[in-house]
Coordinates of all heavy atoms in Angstrom, one line a residue:
M60 N -33.8 12.1 -26.0 CA -32.7 12.7 -25.4 C -32.8 14.1 -26.1 O -33.2 14.3 -27.3 CB -31.4 12.0 -25.5 CG -30.6 12.3 -26.7 SD -29.1 11.3 -26.9 CE -29.8 9.7 -27.4
K61 N -32.2 15.1 -25.5 CA -32.0 16.4 -26.2 C -30.6 16.6 -26.6 O -29.7 16.3 -26.2 CB -32.2 17.5 -25.1 CG -33.7 17.5 -24.5 CD -33.9 18.7 -23.7 CE -35.4 18.7 -23.0 NZ -36.1 19.8 -23.5
V62 N -30.5 17.1 -27.8 CA -29.2 17.5 -28.6 C -29.5 18.9 -29.1 O -30.6 19.3 -29.3 CB -28.9 16.4 -29.5 CG1 -28.8 15.0 -29.0 CG2 -29.9 16.4 -30.7
R63 N -28.4 19.5 -29.3 CA -28.2 20.8 -30.0 C -27.7 20.6 -31.4 O -26.6 19.9 -31.6 CB -27.2 21.7 -29.3 CG -26.7 22.9 -29.8 CD -27.5 24.2 -29.8 NE -28.5 24.3 -28.7 CZ -29.7 25.0 -28.8 NH1 -30.2 25.3 -29.9 NH2 -30.3 25.1 -27.7
I64 N -28.4 21.2 -32.4 CA -27.9 21.0 -33.8 C -27.6 22.3 -34.3 O -28.3 23.5 -34.1 CB -29.0 20.4 -34.6 CG1 -29.6 19.1 -34.1 CG2 -28.6 20.2 -36.1 CD1 -30.8 18.5 -34.7
K65 N -26.4 22.5 -35.1 CA -25.9 23.7 -35.7 C -25.9 23.4 -37.2 O -25.4 22.3 -37.6 CB -24.7 24.1 -35.2 CG -24.7 24.5 -33.6 CD -23.4 25.1 -33.3 CE -23.5 25.6 -31.9 NZ -22.2 26.3 -31.4
Y66 N -26.2 24.3 -37.9 CA -26.3 24.4 -39.4 C -25.3 25.4 -39.9 O -25.4 26.5 -39.4 CB -27.7 24.5 -40.0 CG -28.7 23.6 -39.4 CD1 -29.7 24.0 -38.5 CD2 -28.7 22.2 -39.9 CE1 -30.7 23.1 -38.0 CE2 -29.8 21.3 -39.4 CZ -30.6 21.8 -38.4 OH -31.6 20.9 -37.9
F67 N -24.6 25.1 -40.9 CA -23.7 26.1 -41.4 C -23.9 26.2 -42.9 O -24.2 25.4 -43.7 CB -22.2 25.6 -41.1 CG -21.9 25.7 -39.7 CD1 -22.1 24.6 -38.9 CD2 -21.4 26.9 -39.0 CE1 -21.8 24.6 -37.5 CE2 -21.1 26.9 -37.7 CZ -21.2 25.9 -37.0
A68 N -23.4 27.4 -43.4 CA -23.2 27.8 -44.8 C -24.5 27.6 -45.6 O -25.6 28.0 -45.2 CB -22.1 27.0 -45.5
S69 N -24.6 26.8 -46.6 CA -25.7 26.7 -47.7 C -26.8 25.9 -46.8 O -28.0 26.2 -47.1 CB -25.3 26.0 -48.8 OG -24.8 24.8 -48.8
I70 N -26.5 25.1 -45.9 CA -27.6 24.3 -45.3 C -28.3 25.2 -44.3 O -29.5 25.3 -44.2 CB -26.9 23.1 -44.4 CG1 -26.3 22.1 -45.4 CG2 -28.1 22.5 -43.5 CD1 -25.5 20.9 -44.8
R71 N -27.6 26.2 -43.6 CA -28.1 27.2 -42.7 C -29.1 28.2 -43.6 O -30.1 28.5 -43.1 CB -27.1 28.0 -42.1 CG -27.6 29.1 -41.2 CD -26.5 30.0 -40.6 NE -25.9 30.7 -41.6 CZ -24.6 30.8 -41.7 NH1 -23.8 30.3 -40.9 NH2 -24.0 31.5 -42.8
E72 N -28.6 28.5 -44.9 CA -29.3 29.4 -45.6 C -30.6 28.7 -46.2 O -31.7 29.3 -46.1 CB -28.6 29.8 -46.9 CG -27.4 30.7 -46.4 CD -26.4 31.0 -47.5 OE1 -26.7 30.6 -48.6 OE2 -25.3 31.5 -47.2
A73 N -30.6 27.4 -46.5 CA -31.8 26.7 -46.9 C -32.8 26.5 -45.9 O -34.0 26.6 -46.1 CB -31.3 25.4 -47.4
L74 N -32.5 26.3 -44.6 CA -33.3 26.0 -43.5 C -33.6 27.4 -42.8 O -34.8 27.4 -42.1 CB -32.6 25.3 -42.4 CG -32.3 23.7 -42.9 CD1 -31.4 23.0 -41.8 CD2 -33.3 23.1 -43.5
G75 N -32.9 28.4 -42.9 CA -33.2 29.7 -42.4 C -33.0 29.8 -40.9 O -33.6 30.6 -40.1
V76 N -32.3 28.8 -40.4 CA -32.0 28.8 -38.9 C -30.6 28.2 -38.8 O -30.1 27.5 -39.5 CB -33.0 27.9 -38.2 CG1 -32.9 26.5 -38.6 CG2 -32.8 28.0 -36.6
A77 N -29.8 28.9 -37.8 CA -28.3 28.5 -37.6 C -28.3 27.5 -36.5 O -27.3 26.5 -36.6 CB -27.6 29.7 -37.0
E78 N -29.2 27.2 -35.6 CA -29.2 26.1 -34.6 C -30.5 25.9 -34.0 O -31.4 26.9 -34.2 CB -28.1 26.4 -33.6 CG -28.4 27.6 -32.8 CD -27.2 27.8 -31.7 OE1 -26.1 28.2 -32.1 OE2 -27.4 27.4 -30.5
E79 N -30.6 24.7 -33.5 CA -31.9 24.5 -32.8 C -31.5 23.3 -31.8 O -30.7 22.6 -31.9 CB -33.0 24.0 -33.7 CG -32.7 22.7 -34.5 CD -33.8 22.4 -35.4 OE1 -34.9 22.5 -35.0 OE2 -33.6 22.0 -36.6
G80 N -32.4 23.3 -30.6 CA -32.3 22.2 -29.8 C -33.6 21.2 -30.2 O -34.7 21.7 -30.4
V81 N -33.3 19.9 -30.1 CA -34.3 19.1 -30.4 C -34.2 17.8 -29.5 O -33.3 17.5 -28.9 CB -34.1 18.5 -31.9 CG1 -34.3 19.5 -32.9 CG2 -32.9 17.6 -32.0
D82 N -35.5 17.3 -29.3 CA -35.6 16.0 -28.6 C -35.6 15.0 -29.7 O -36.4 15.1 -30.7 CB -37.0 16.0 -27.9 CG -36.9 16.7 -26.6 OD1 -36.1 16.7 -25.9 OD2 -38.0 17.5 -26.4
T83 N -34.9 14.0 -29.6 CA -34.7 12.9 -30.5 C -34.7 11.6 -29.9 O -34.3 11.3 -28.9 CB -33.5 13.0 -31.3 OG1 -33.3 12.1 -32.3 CG2 -32.2 12.9 -30.4
R84 N -35.1 10.5 -30.6 CA -35.1 9.1 -30.4 C -34.0 8.5 -31.0 O -33.7 7.3 -30.6 CB -36.4 8.4 -30.8 CG -37.7 8.8 -30.0 CD -38.7 8.1 -30.4 NE -40.0 8.6 -29.7 CZ -41.1 7.9 -29.6 NH1 -41.3 6.9 -30.3 NH2 -42.0 8.5 -28.9
A85 N -33.2 9.3 -31.8 CA -32.1 8.7 -32.6 C -30.9 8.4 -31.6 O -30.8 9.0 -30.6 CB -31.8 9.6 -33.6
T86 N -30.1 7.4 -32.0 CA -29.1 7.0 -31.1 C -27.7 7.2 -31.9 O -26.7 7.2 -31.2 CB -29.1 5.6 -30.6 OG1 -29.1 4.7 -31.8 CG2 -30.3 5.2 -29.8
T87 N -27.8 7.6 -33.1 CA -26.6 7.9 -34.0 C -26.8 9.2 -34.9 O -28.0 9.6 -34.9 CB -26.4 6.7 -35.0 OG1 -27.4 6.6 -35.9 CG2 -26.1 5.4 -34.2
V88 N -25.8 9.6 -35.3 CA -25.9 10.9 -36.1 C -26.7 10.5 -37.3 O -27.5 11.4 -37.8 CB -24.4 11.3 -36.6 CG1 -24.5 12.3 -37.5 CG2 -23.7 11.7 -35.3
G89 N -26.6 9.3 -38.0 CA -27.4 9.0 -39.2 C -28.8 9.0 -38.7 O -29.7 9.4 -39.7
G90 N -29.1 8.4 -37.7 CA -30.5 8.4 -37.1 C -31.2 9.8 -37.0 O -32.3 10.0 -37.5
L91 N -30.4 10.8 -36.5 CA -30.8 12.1 -36.2 C -31.0 12.6 -37.7 O -32.0 13.4 -37.8 CB -29.8 12.9 -35.6 CG -30.1 14.3 -35.3 CD1 -31.4 14.5 -34.5 CD2 -28.9 15.0 -34.5
R92 N -30.1 12.5 -38.6 CA -30.4 13.0 -40.0 C -31.6 12.4 -40.6 O -32.4 13.2 -41.2 CB -29.0 12.6 -40.8 CG -29.2 13.2 -42.2 CD -28.0 12.8 -43.0 NE -27.9 13.4 -44.2 CZ -27.1 13.3 -45.2 NH1 -26.0 12.4 -45.0 NH2 -27.1 13.7 -46.6
D93 N -31.8 11.1 -40.5 CA -33.1 10.5 -40.9 C -34.3 11.3 -40.3 O -35.3 11.6 -41.0 CB -33.2 9.1 -40.6 CG -32.1 8.2 -41.4 OD1 -31.6 8.8 -42.4 OD2 -31.9 7.1 -40.9
E94 N -34.3 11.6 -39.0 CA -35.4 12.2 -38.3 C -35.6 13.5 -38.9 O -36.8 13.9 -39.3 CB -35.2 12.3 -36.8 CG -35.6 11.1 -36.1 CD -35.4 11.3 -34.6 OE1 -35.0 12.4 -34.1 OE2 -35.5 10.3 -33.9
L95 N -34.6 14.3 -39.2 CA -34.6 15.7 -39.8 C -35.0 15.6 -41.2 O -36.0 16.4 -41.5 CB -33.3 16.2 -39.6 CG -32.8 16.6 -38.3 CD1 -31.2 17.1 -38.4 CD2 -33.6 17.7 -37.6
I96 N -34.6 14.6 -42.0 CA -35.3 14.5 -43.3 C -36.6 14.3 -43.4 O -37.5 14.7 -44.2 CB -34.4 13.4 -44.1 CG1 -33.0 13.9 -44.2 CG2 -35.1 13.0 -45.4 CD1 -32.0 12.7 -44.8
A97 N -37.1 13.4 -42.4 CA -38.6 13.0 -42.3 C -39.4 14.3 -42.0 O -40.7 14.2 -42.2 CB -38.7 12.0 -41.2
R98 N -38.8 15.4 -41.5 CA -39.5 16.6 -41.4 C -40.2 17.1 -42.6 O -41.1 17.8 -42.7 CB -38.8 17.7 -40.7 CG -38.4 17.5 -39.4 CD -37.6 18.7 -38.8 NE -37.3 18.6 -37.3 CZ -36.6 19.5 -36.8 NH1 -36.1 20.7 -37.5 NH2 -36.4 19.4 -35.5
G99 N -39.6 16.7 -43.7 CA -40.0 17.2 -45.0 C -39.5 18.6 -45.2 O -38.7 19.1 -44.7
G100 N -40.0 19.2 -46.4 CA -39.7 20.5 -46.8 C -38.2 20.8 -46.9 O -37.5 20.0 -47.5
A101 N -37.8 22.0 -46.3 CA -36.4 22.4 -46.5 C -35.3 21.3 -45.8 O -34.3 21.1 -46.4 CB -36.2 23.8 -45.8
H102 N -35.7 20.8 -44.7 CA -34.9 19.8 -44.1 C -34.6 18.7 -45.1 O -33.5 18.2 -45.2 CB -35.5 19.3 -42.8 CG -35.3 20.3 -41.7 ND1 -36.2 21.3 -41.4 CD2 -34.4 20.5 -40.7 CE1 -35.7 22.0 -40.4 NE2 -34.6 21.5 -40.0
A103 N -35.7 18.2 -45.7 CA -35.6 17.1 -46.6 C -34.7 17.4 -47.7 O -33.9 16.6 -48.1 CB -36.9 16.5 -47.0
L104 N -34.7 18.5 -48.3 CA -34.0 18.9 -49.4 C -32.5 19.2 -49.0 O -31.5 18.7 -49.8 CB -34.6 20.2 -50.0 CG -36.0 20.1 -50.8 CD1 -36.4 21.5 -51.2 CD2 -35.8 19.1 -51.9
A105 N -32.3 19.9 -47.9 CA -30.9 20.2 -47.5 C -30.2 19.1 -46.9 O -28.9 19.0 -47.1 CB -31.1 21.3 -46.5
L106 N -30.8 18.1 -46.4 CA -30.0 16.9 -45.7 C -30.3 15.5 -46.5 O -29.9 14.5 -46.0 CB -30.5 16.8 -44.3 CG -30.2 18.2 -43.4 CD1 -30.9 17.9 -42.1 CD2 -28.7 18.2 -43.3
A107 N -31.0 15.7 -47.6 CA -31.3 14.4 -48.2 C -30.0 13.6 -48.8 O -29.0 14.1 -49.0 CB -32.1 14.7 -49.5
R108 N -30.4 12.3 -48.8 CA -29.4 11.4 -49.4 C -29.7 11.2 -50.9 O -30.7 11.4 -51.3 CB -29.4 10.1 -48.7 CG -28.9 10.1 -47.2 CD -29.1 8.9 -46.6 NE -28.5 9.0 -45.3 CZ -29.1 9.4 -44.2 NH1 -30.4 9.9 -44.3 NH2 -28.5 9.4 -43.0
S109 N -28.8 10.7 -51.7 CA -28.8 10.6 -53.1 C -29.6 9.3 -53.4 O -29.9 8.5 -52.4 CB -27.5 10.5 -53.7 OG -26.8 9.3 -53.4
Q110 N -30.2 9.1 -54.5 CA -31.2 8.2 -54.9 C -30.4 6.8 -54.9 O -31.1 5.8 -54.7 CB -31.7 8.3 -56.3 CG -32.6 9.5 -56.3 CD -33.4 9.7 -57.7 OE1 -33.0 9.0 -58.6 NE2 -34.2 10.6 -57.7
D111 N -29.2 6.7 -55.0 CA -28.4 5.5 -54.9 C -28.0 5.0 -53.5 O -27.4 4.0 -53.3 CB -27.2 5.4 -55.8 CG -26.1 6.5 -55.4 OD1 -26.3 7.1 -54.3 OD2 -25.2 6.6 -56.1
G112 N -28.6 5.7 -52.5 CA -28.4 5.3 -51.2 C -27.2 5.9 -50.5 O -27.0 5.9 -49.3
K113 N -26.3 6.6 -51.3 CA -25.3 7.2 -50.6 C -25.5 8.6 -50.2 O -26.3 9.2 -50.7 CB -24.1 7.3 -51.8 CG -23.5 5.9 -52.2 CD -22.5 6.1 -53.1 CE -21.9 4.7 -53.5 NZ -20.8 4.8 -54.5
S114 N -24.8 9.0 -49.2 CA -25.0 10.4 -48.7 C -24.5 11.5 -49.6 O -23.7 11.3 -50.3 CB -24.2 10.6 -47.2 OG -24.7 9.7 -46.3
R115 N -25.4 12.6 -49.5 CA -25.0 13.7 -50.3 C -23.8 14.4 -49.7 O -23.3 14.0 -48.6 CB -26.1 14.7 -50.3 CG -27.4 14.1 -51.3 CD -28.5 15.3 -51.4 NE -27.9 16.4 -51.9 CZ -28.5 17.7 -51.8 NH1 -29.5 17.7 -51.1 NH2 -27.9 18.8 -52.2
A116 N -23.3 15.4 -50.3 CA -22.1 16.0 -49.8 C -22.5 16.9 -48.5 O -22.7 18.1 -48.7 CB -21.5 16.9 -50.8
V117 N -22.8 16.2 -47.4 CA -23.0 16.8 -46.2 C -22.1 16.2 -45.1 O -22.0 15.1 -45.0 CB -24.6 16.6 -45.6 CG1 -24.7 17.0 -44.3 CG2 -25.4 17.3 -46.7
R118 N -21.4 17.1 -44.6 CA -20.3 16.7 -43.5 C -21.0 17.0 -42.2 O -22.0 17.6 -41.9 CB -19.1 17.5 -43.6 CG -18.5 17.6 -44.9 CD -17.7 16.4 -45.3 NE -16.9 16.0 -44.2 CZ -15.3 15.9 -44.4 NH1 -14.9 16.2 -45.6 NH2 -14.6 15.6 -43.4
V119 N -20.6 16.1 -41.1 CA -21.1 16.2 -39.9 C -19.9 16.2 -38.8 O -19.1 15.6 -39.0 CB -22.1 15.2 -39.6 CG1 -21.5 13.8 -39.7 CG2 -22.9 15.4 -38.3
A120 N -20.3 17.0 -37.8 CA -19.3 17.0 -36.7 C -20.2 16.6 -35.4 O -21.3 17.0 -35.3 CB -18.6 18.4 -36.4
L121 N -19.6 15.8 -34.6 CA -20.2 15.5 -33.3 C -19.4 16.1 -32.0 O -18.1 15.7 -32.0 CB -20.5 14.0 -33.2 CG -20.9 13.4 -31.9 CD1 -22.4 14.0 -31.7 CD2 -21.0 11.9 -32.0
D122 N -19.8 17.0 -31.2 CA -19.0 17.8 -30.2 C -17.8 18.2 -30.9 O -16.8 18.1 -30.3 CB -18.9 16.7 -29.1 CG -20.3 16.5 -28.3 OD1 -20.9 17.4 -28.2 OD2 -20.2 15.4 -27.9
Q123 N -17.8 18.8 -32.1 CA -16.9 19.6 -32.7 C -15.7 18.8 -33.2 O -14.6 19.3 -33.4 CB -16.3 20.7 -31.8 CG -17.4 21.7 -31.3 CD -16.8 22.8 -30.5 OE1 -15.6 23.0 -30.2 NE2 -17.8 23.7 -30.1
R124 N -16.1 17.4 -33.5 CA -15.0 16.5 -34.1 C -15.8 15.9 -35.2 O -17.0 15.5 -35.3 CB -14.7 15.4 -33.1 CG -13.7 16.0 -32.0 CD -13.3 14.9 -31.2 NE -12.3 15.5 -30.2 CZ -11.3 14.9 -29.7 NH1 -11.0 13.7 -30.1 NH2 -10.5 15.5 -28.8
M125 N -15.0 15.7 -36.3 CA -15.7 15.2 -37.5 C -16.1 13.8 -37.0 O -15.4 13.1 -36.3 CB -14.7 15.0 -38.7 CG -14.2 16.3 -39.2 SD -15.5 17.5 -39.7 CE -16.2 16.5 -41.1
S126 N -17.3 13.4 -37.7 CA -18.0 12.1 -37.3 C -18.6 11.5 -38.6 O -19.0 12.1 -39.6 CB -19.1 12.4 -36.3 OG -19.7 11.2 -35.9
A127 N -18.6 10.2 -38.6 CA -19.4 9.4 -39.5 C -20.8 9.3 -39.0 O -21.0 9.7 -37.8 CB -18.7 7.9 -39.6
E128 N -21.6 8.8 -39.8 CA -23.1 8.7 -39.4 C -23.4 7.8 -38.4 O -24.4 7.7 -37.7 CB -24.0 8.6 -40.6 CG -24.0 9.8 -41.5 CD -25.3 9.8 -42.4 OE1 -26.2 8.9 -42.3 OE2 -25.4 10.7 -43.2
N129 N -22.4 6.8 -38.1 CA -22.6 5.8 -37.1 C -22.0 6.4 -35.6 O -22.1 5.7 -34.7 CB -22.0 4.4 -37.4 CG -20.4 4.6 -37.4 OD1 -19.8 5.8 -37.4 ND2 -19.7 3.5 -37.7
G130 N -21.8 7.7 -35.6 CA -21.3 8.3 -34.3 C -22.5 8.3 -33.4 O -23.6 8.4 -33.7
D131 N -22.2 7.9 -32.2 CA -23.2 7.8 -31.1 C -23.6 9.0 -30.5 O -22.7 9.9 -30.1 CB -22.8 6.8 -30.1 CG -22.6 5.4 -30.5 OD1 -23.4 5.0 -31.3 OD2 -21.6 4.7 -30.0
L132 N -24.8 9.3 -30.4 CA -25.5 10.5 -29.9 C -25.5 10.3 -28.3 O -25.7 9.1 -27.8 CB -26.8 10.9 -30.3 CG -26.9 11.1 -31.8 CD1 -28.3 11.5 -32.1 CD2 -26.0 12.4 -32.2
R133 N -25.4 11.4 -27.7 CA -25.7 11.3 -26.0 C -26.3 12.7 -25.6 O -26.3 13.5 -26.3 CB -24.4 11.0 -25.3 CG -23.3 12.0 -25.4 CD -21.9 11.4 -24.8 NE -21.0 12.5 -25.2 CZ -20.4 12.6 -26.3 NH1 -20.7 11.8 -27.3 NH2 -19.4 13.5 -26.7
E134 N -26.9 12.5 -24.5 CA -27.6 13.7 -23.9 C -26.8 14.9 -24.0 O -25.6 14.8 -23.5 CB -28.2 13.4 -22.4 CG -28.9 14.5 -21.8 CD -30.3 14.6 -22.4 OE1 -30.9 13.6 -22.9 OE2 -30.8 15.7 -22.4
G135 N -27.3 16.0 -24.5 CA -26.7 17.3 -24.5 C -25.6 17.3 -25.5 O -24.9 18.5 -25.5
C136 N -25.4 16.4 -26.4 CA -24.2 16.6 -27.4 C -24.5 17.7 -28.5 O -25.7 18.1 -28.6 CB -24.1 15.3 -28.1 SG -25.3 14.6 -29.1
E137 N -23.5 18.0 -29.2 CA -23.7 18.9 -30.3 C -23.6 18.4 -31.5 O -22.5 17.7 -31.6 CB -22.8 20.2 -30.0 CG -22.9 21.2 -31.2 CD -21.8 22.2 -31.0 OE1 -21.9 23.1 -30.3 OE2 -20.8 22.1 -31.7
V138 N -24.3 18.5 -32.6 CA -24.2 18.0 -33.8 C -24.3 19.1 -34.9 O -25.1 19.9 -34.9 CB -25.3 16.9 -34.2 CG1 -25.2 16.4 -35.5 CG2 -25.4 15.7 -33.2
A139 N -23.3 19.2 -35.7 CA -23.3 20.2 -36.7 C -23.3 19.6 -38.1 O -22.4 18.7 -38.5 CB -22.0 21.1 -36.6
F140 N -24.1 20.2 -39.0 CA -24.2 19.7 -40.4 C -23.6 20.9 -41.3 O -24.1 22.0 -41.0 CB -25.6 19.5 -40.8 CG -26.2 18.3 -40.1 CD1 -27.0 18.4 -39.0 CD2 -25.9 17.0 -40.7 CE1 -27.6 17.3 -38.4 CE2 -26.5 15.9 -40.0 CZ -27.3 16.0 -38.9
F141 N -22.8 20.7 -42.2 CA -22.2 21.6 -43.2 C -22.0 21.0 -44.5 O -21.6 19.8 -44.5 CB -21.2 22.3 -42.5 CG -20.0 21.4 -41.9 CD1 -18.9 21.2 -42.6 CD2 -20.3 20.9 -40.6 CE1 -17.9 20.3 -42.1 CE2 -19.3 20.1 -40.0 CZ -18.1 19.8 -40.8
P142 N -21.8 21.7 -45.6 CA -21.3 21.3 -46.8 C -19.8 21.1 -46.7 O -19.2 21.6 -45.8 CB -21.6 22.5 -47.8 CG -21.9 23.6 -46.9 CD -22.2 23.1 -45.5
P143 N -19.2 20.4 -47.6 CA -17.8 20.0 -47.6 C -16.9 21.3 -47.6 O -15.8 21.1 -47.0 CB -17.5 19.2 -48.8 CG -18.8 19.0 -49.4 CD -19.9 19.8 -48.8
V144 N -17.3 22.3 -48.2 CA -16.3 23.5 -48.3 C -17.3 24.6 -47.7 O -18.3 25.0 -48.2 CB -16.0 23.8 -49.8 CG1 -15.1 25.0 -49.7 CG2 -15.1 22.6 -50.2
T145 N -16.7 25.3 -46.7 CA -17.4 26.5 -46.2 C -16.4 27.8 -46.4 O -15.3 27.6 -46.4 CB -17.8 26.4 -44.7 OG1 -16.8 26.1 -43.9 CG2 -18.8 25.3 -44.6
G146 N -17.1 28.9 -46.5 CA -16.3 30.1 -46.7 C -15.9 30.7 -45.3 O -16.4 30.2 -44.3
G147 N -14.9 31.6 -45.3 CA -14.4 32.1 -44.1 C -15.2 33.3 -43.8 O -15.7 34.1 -43.1

């Protein structure tokens, strides 16, 4: 399915891109994050989970509403990744 991903603040800076459209096999926000981490490089660093299995300080919104990683993706949805505090 196709989804739109937006990156904000330090994540956007680390990746060098503000948004992208991707084809994904993921069905949840967490699955999408896993796919992005699997790209390696900047994606792996910016979206990585900590070594103890807990998520790093990365917040996510699904269709402009805060979401947990078990949020269900659907065709054409928008997923946004951002650090817990962003500047104005």
Side-chain angles (χ1 to χ4, degrees):
M60 91 179 83
K61 292 184 184 248
V62 299
R63 167 85 29 216
I64 304 172
K65 293 187 174 187
Y66 304 105
F67 291 91
S69 60
I70 296 172
R71 179 185 65 226
E72 292 170 13
L74 299 178
V76 63
E78 64 181 77
E79 64 179 317
V81 299
D82 287 314
T83 182
R84 292 183 181 191
T86 58
T87 65
V88 171
L91 177 62
R92 184 176 178 185
D93 291 338
E94 285 184 0
L95 295 170
I96 290 168
R98 288 180 174 179
H102 283 85
L104 293 173
L106 299 171
R108 292 178 173 82
S109 65
Q110 292 181 359
D111 62 7
K113 294 183 180 178
S114 294
R115 288 182 59 197
V117 173
R118 305 287 304 244
V119 64
L121 178 59
D122 289 329
Q123 300 182 5
R124 291 183 179 218
M125 295 304 296
S126 176
E128 288 205 7
N129 64 353
D131 293 324
L132 299 179
R133 64 190 168 284
E134 181 73 30
C136 67
E137 177 188 279
V138 179
F140 292 101
F141 51 95
V144 178
T145 60

